[in-house]
Amino acid sequence: MSFLRFSYWLRGDRPELGPDQRERHALETARNRIFITGAMFTIGFLWISGGLINATILKQGNEPRVASGTDTRELKTERADIVDRNGMLLATDLPTSSLYADARVIKDPVGSSDLLRTVLSELDRDTLIRQLSSGKPFVWVRRNLTPEQQYEVNALGIPGLNFQREERRVYPQGRLFAHALGFTDIDNNGIAGIERKFDNELRVNNGPLSVSLDIRVQHALHTEIETAMKTYDAVGGAGLVMDVYTGEVLGMVSLPDFDPHRPGQAPADARFNRTTLGVYEQGSTFKLFNTAIALDTGSVQLNSMFDASQPLRIGRFAINDYRGENRWLSVAEIIKYSSNIGSARMAMNFGTETQKQYFKKFGLLDPARIELPEIGSPLIPNPWRDVNTMTISFGHGLAVTPLQLVNGISALVNGGIRRPATIIKQDGAPAGERVVSAQTSEMMRRLMRLVVTEGSGKKAEVPGYFLGGKTGTAEKLVNGRYVKNARISTFVAAFPMNDPKYVVVVTLDEPKGTKETYGFATAGWVSAPAVGKVVTRIAPLLGVEPANARAPEIEQALRLDLRSGERNLASF
Amino acid sequence: MTRLMTFMWLAMTVLIGVGTYWVSHEVDLLEREYASIQSRIVSEQETIHVLDAEWSYLNTPQRIEDLSNSYLQLAQIQPLQMASINDLPADNDMHLYRLDKFGEAVKFLPVPRARPGELATDEAAESMIINAAPVGIPERQGGQP
């Protein structure tokens, strides 16, 4: 019953009224309904008209000039590029094609194999037949084809052979940066060097990674070390160039090296990074640290005298000089003549604990903190007795990497502040830690300059750039014994000595003397000239201006009054 | 009147329908063009990427050095060959005068400063040039010009 009433109500009919009223009522309802519907439509149309007016007239009238598409695609490689400090490309991903087979589709494995081997002849026939008849939907046949090979394989028209687009790591500079950059495996995972250390960052690919290395410096260093290695028939060589104020490594060379595209074919020795992983006794170059400690602690003055007239005997050890002066020597002369006896006596003056503390601050006792996975730990004597202190004073009994050496020398000459070595490009100088006073650093500059003007490093001299350095020749340790005729000859130098900017080190492993060097294979003869040549080449590139040796400010910065020492001797 | 209105509405409907279709077709065309331009940009980027790698390969210092050795007559620059702009006589040096042996003022240009490579060995010779008192034209042997 109520349903019937509802249906009447819905129609606007009211049967309980009289026929006249009923008709009038119905008309009224109809009119109301038409009015409401019309109003709705009007609102709707006004809405649309308003929208149209808004879209065509009120809003910005013309099309935007540049489309701001949301789907702008950009080329993104699997791994980010690596560039040098000047933006030259060192490593990048290039697209290649890899051949795979859908073995379910291949009808004639033997015939297909033979056909395929007409193009890719290096494939093994049996393996190929086994792969193609395996029935698997995906089998790699050959990775990274050349475009030519891809075309030829395509032209064979074997069904079931398909190409997969892949990316392959390419090093346009070849072996030049092999040790620093490292390499990747076939699936583009970094497995050595920067590629490994920054594997995650490179994968995320937020633009190229800028390393601190410089192609030009690297090449100069590489060429000169290679030449020196050939000339002196050395089994290996290593070299580093470091910015003394930022700790950035500009050049890192370890020879022999390898082709980063085919690291597997290189012997382990070639893949070994001598600059960061190899620990060597650095020989007399340590006398610089020793003298700096002595001067910094104030235990000696530049003109203090030490008895180097006869070998120093400690228990069963005897410390000798390579070319003894056999007389009393001043501190400057100990550096100049590279006296082991004098250095040992100097070290005894300040003692073992002081030596340990300073060496720790120079970063010689802890593994270097550079951004590479290949880091060698220094070989530290344990226990550290007085005799160790004496031998360490002239670079024996403590083995460190060449990187630690240049980092320490940088701190020595830059005013006494050590900054961690880095291979990533820096903005300005990072925070450092004071090792020696600015005054000590100043004196060390003069002493290092003395080695090149009058001492064992004469062959490194480059007019105008005021090199200062120290030679170091250590006999090589093989199975814990020193081998007499196998040496490691190191020359470490900074330039220009009036205001040092860069440190260069060149180390040669087992150099042999030639006729030109009168048979000598010591650092002064083999490594020092190489450093000189490197500096000649890189100094103009790095914006170091040659200066006149007789300019008063240069003379002022480099003068070392040696005669005061002799006067002191008279008073002894 | 009603027929006219009907006709007008009909015409407008057709017009709007055709217009809408035309616009949507145009948009479709543009979108297709956009997509093709996009893919061309990506392929251009890929080419640039490959060319970048090739550029770096062609700029290998070893290669440049070999090319320079075989085609250019250039050698390693020596520190001696470098001088700064400050080493040149300044403009106002051009108007310096000194007295010659007759007591007349003559123009002279100072000798450029020593260059970095010049070492102490030729000190004596150089001190004669720079520090010696101005001298006149040397007299010839034999008297007669």
Side-chain angles (χ1 to χ4, degrees):
Chain A
M1 191 64 208
S2 59
F3 181 75
L4 188 69
R5 287 193 56 182
F6 178 71
S7 77
Y8 278 127
W9 175 82
L10 208 59
R11 273 182 280 161
D13 199 358
R14 291 173 75 180
E16 72 272 19
L17 300 174
D20 275 8
Q21 275 180 319
R22 194 175 164 188
E23 193 176 333
R24 217 170 52 231
H25 185 83
L27 277 173
E28 204 173 307
T29 311
R31 239 181 251 125
N32 285 345
R33 284 182 179 174
I34 285 170
F35 177 76
I36 289 169
T37 318
M40 292 287 218
F41 271 95
T42 311
I43 290 170
F45 275 111
L46 280 177
W47 186 284
I48 291 170
S49 316
L52 267 173
I53 289 164
N54 183 33
T56 52
I57 298 164
L58 296 183
K59 258 194 177 172
Q60 164 186 19
N62 43 7
E63 290 270 314
R65 288 219 160 265
V66 180
S68 54
T70 46
D71 62 337
T72 38
R73 280 170 292 166
E74 227 180 272
L75 185 69
K76 222 169 183 198
T77 48
E78 253 178 59
R79 286 174 84 80
D81 292 346
I82 301 177
V83 297
D84 87 336
R85 64 186 300 115
N86 304 312
M88 279 302 279
L89 200 61
L90 302 184
T92 189
D93 270 8
L94 286 188
T96 58
S97 293
S98 291
L99 181 66
Y100 71 92
D102 184 348
R104 295 172 305 181
V105 180
I106 287 178
K107 294 278 174 289
D108 174 17
V110 180
S112 302
S113 299
D114 287 337
L115 203 54
L116 193 56
R117 286 185 70 250
T118 58
V119 176
L120 303 171
S121 52
E122 69 280 7
L123 292 175
D124 181 53
R125 187 167 181 268
D126 297 334
T127 318
L128 195 57
I129 292 173
R130 200 171 56 227
Q131 281 173 341
L132 295 190
S133 51
S134 65
K136 288 180 192 161
F138 189 96
V139 190
W140 280 124
V141 177
R142 177 79 202 280
R143 305 283 286 270
N144 300 324
L145 298 182
T146 64
E148 200 179 336
Q149 284 172 325
Q150 187 192 4
Y151 174 79
E152 283 171 356
V153 172
N154 238 347
L156 293 176
I158 306 172
L161 289 183
N162 299 305
F163 297 101
Q164 165 89 38
R165 206 195 110 105
E166 278 199 300
E167 286 184 357
R168 191 181 173 205
R169 203 63 168 161
V170 171
Y171 304 91
Q173 301 292 329
R175 35 179 78 218
L176 193 53
F177 290 93
H179 287 103
L181 295 184
F183 46 89
T184 61
D185 64 6
I186 195 153
D187 291 316
N188 258 352
N189 300 307
I191 47 176
I194 292 173
E195 295 276 19
R196 173 157 173 204
K197 191 75 181 179
F198 291 92
D199 200 27
N200 291 333
E201 288 84 345
L202 289 170
R203 268 171 200 293
V204 173
N205 194 355
N206 291 323
L209 177 71
S210 280
V211 294
S212 65
L213 300 163
D214 186 318
I215 284 190
R216 306 163 302 170
V217 173
Q218 180 82 358
H219 173 67
L221 195 60
H222 190 273
T223 315
E224 294 307 337
I225 294 175
E226 204 168 35
T227 313
M229 260 179 74
K230 264 190 206 132
T231 313
Y232 303 112
D233 197 20
V235 298
L240 284 163
V241 177
M242 182 181 269
D243 184 325
V244 299
Y245 288 107
T246 60
E248 290 173 298
V249 176
L250 272 74
M252 175 182 277
V253 171
S254 171
L255 289 170
D257 55 9
F258 60 93
D259 183 357
H261 299 113
R262 278 172 284 277
Q265 292 172 10
D269 177 49
R271 276 181 287 160
F272 183 82
N273 188 346
R274 288 163 193 266
T275 57
T276 60
L277 192 55
V279 290
Y280 309 101
E281 289 185 340
Q282 300 290 349
S284 308
T285 51
F286 265 40
K287 285 173 190 160
L288 292 176
F289 295 120
N290 191 56
T291 310
I293 298 169
L295 291 171
D296 201 54
T297 52
S299 62
V300 302
Q301 305 298 316
L302 261 188
N303 49 19
S304 304
M305 301 299 287
F306 290 92
D307 180 10
S309 53
Q310 43 200 309
L312 188 60
R313 292 191 182 283
I314 307 293
R316 58 196 177 87
F317 299 97
I319 294 169
N320 250 314
D321 278 354
Y322 175 62
R323 291 186 134 184
E325 288 288 313
N326 300 325
R327 61 183 174 87
W328 285 65
L329 298 172
S330 72
V331 171
E333 284 170 320
I334 287 171
I335 287 287
K336 179 176 158 188
Y337 298 119
S338 196
S339 164
N340 294 343
I341 305 169
S343 295
R345 285 195 191 278
M346 227 191 287
M348 288 325 287
N349 247 2
F350 53 75
T352 304
E353 272 316 302
T354 314
Q355 189 186 40
K356 257 195 210 173
Q357 276 169 20
Y358 270 93
F359 271 41
K360 184 113 185 144
K361 282 200 277 179
F362 275 121
L364 296 170
L365 303 186
D366 301 303
R369 272 195 305 150
I370 200 165
E371 301 89 344
L372 287 176
E374 298 89 4
I375 301 285
S377 293
L379 296 179
I380 303 162
N382 189 21
W384 193 314
R385 297 181 213 277
D386 282 353
V387 65
N388 298 108
T389 305
M390 292 166 101
T391 58
I392 287 170
S393 77
F394 52 86
H396 287 261
L398 175 64
V400 301
T401 61
L403 181 73
Q404 286 173 291
L405 178 70
V406 289
N407 202 3
I409 296 291
S410 295
L412 209 56
V413 298
N414 74 0
I417 293 165
R418 190 174 84 90
R419 299 189 176 83
T422 177
I423 201 158
I424 299 302
K425 194 177 173 184
Q426 307 285 316
D427 296 327
E433 181 197 349
R434 181 161 288 283
V435 183
V436 293
S437 68
Q439 206 193 345
T440 307
S441 171
E442 175 96 345
M443 279 192 276
M444 290 314 297
R445 292 178 186 179
R446 291 165 202 250
L447 286 173
M448 284 169 75
R449 178 66 188 150
L450 180 74
V451 172
V452 175
T453 51
E454 295 178 25
S456 52
K458 278 184 193 144
K459 299 216 171 299
E461 174 65 347
V462 181
Y465 290 123
F466 315 114
L467 254 76
K470 184 76 193 76
T471 54
T473 310
E475 266 146 25
K476 210 173 161 181
L477 267 175
V478 175
N479 301 328
R481 276 171 188 280
Y482 287 109
V483 186
K484 194 73 191 164
N485 273 322
R487 297 188 183 82
I488 300 226
S489 300
T490 306
F491 188 72
V492 60
F495 73 95
M497 226 50 221
N498 52 315
D499 177 20
K501 295 200 167 63
Y502 299 97
V503 172
V504 182
V505 69
V506 167
T507 296
L508 292 175
D509 191 351
E510 289 187 32
K512 280 112 197 149
T514 63
K515 211 199 265 174
E516 286 72 32
T517 69
Y518 308 101
F520 289 113
T522 51
W525 286 96
V526 298
S527 303
V531 170
K533 282 184 207 154
V534 170
V535 171
T536 316
R537 292 179 69 154
I538 67 172
L541 299 175
L542 296 171
V544 178
E545 213 179 311
N548 187 349
R550 269 168 297 145
E553 66 274 12
I554 306 274
E555 283 197 329
Q556 173 78 24
L558 299 176
R559 197 186 52 226
L560 193 62
D561 202 354
L562 289 178
R563 255 165 289 176
S564 58
E566 284 162 26
R567 239 178 277 125
N568 240 9
L569 176 64
S571 68
F572 258 87
Chain B
M1 181 67 194
T2 320
R3 279 180 59 186
L4 190 73
M5 283 297 281
T6 313
F7 186 73
M8 203 186 83
W9 282 117
L10 208 72
M12 272 181 79
T13 313
V14 170
L15 214 67
I16 288 170
V18 170
T20 313
Y21 176 77
W22 181 76
V23 167
S24 107
H25 182 68
E26 282 296 294
V27 169
D28 208 38
L29 282 183
L30 283 175
E31 236 152 39
R32 232 177 281 173
E33 194 185 331
Y34 178 63
S36 94
I37 288 173
Q38 280 286 345
S39 71
R40 256 160 46 214
I41 287 173
V42 170
S43 85
E44 284 298 325
Q45 279 176 341
E46 221 160 79
T47 314
I48 289 169
H49 185 73
V50 173
L51 288 175
D52 264 344
E54 193 176 339
W55 176 243
S56 173
Y57 173 71
L58 292 176
N59 272 300
T60 310
Q62 185 63 57
R63 183 174 168 274
I64 304 269
E65 195 174 289
D66 292 345
L67 288 177
S68 154
N69 286 342
S70 50
Y71 294 111
L72 298 174
Q73 306 282 315
L74 297 175
Q76 169 68 45
I77 193 163
Q78 296 301 319
L80 182 66
Q81 294 171 290
M82 275 177 272
S84 87
I85 196 87
N86 297 328
D87 294 343
L88 295 174
D91 205 24
N92 48 5
D93 288 347
M94 301 286 279
H95 307 293
L96 288 182
Y97 292 88
R98 66 174 166 80
L99 297 180
D100 69 1
K101 67 169 179 177
F102 306 110
E104 288 171 12
V106 290
K107 265 189 181 178
F108 89 111
L109 197 62
V111 182
R113 274 195 266 151
R115 287 186 290 178
E118 295 169 38
L119 290 169
T121 44
D122 53 0
E123 200 171 65
E126 197 162 312
S127 69
M128 273 169 63
I129 298 166
I130 293 178
N131 299 332
V135 288
I137 305 156
E139 282 178 70
R140 287 207 196 162
Q141 299 291 319
Q144 286 301 311

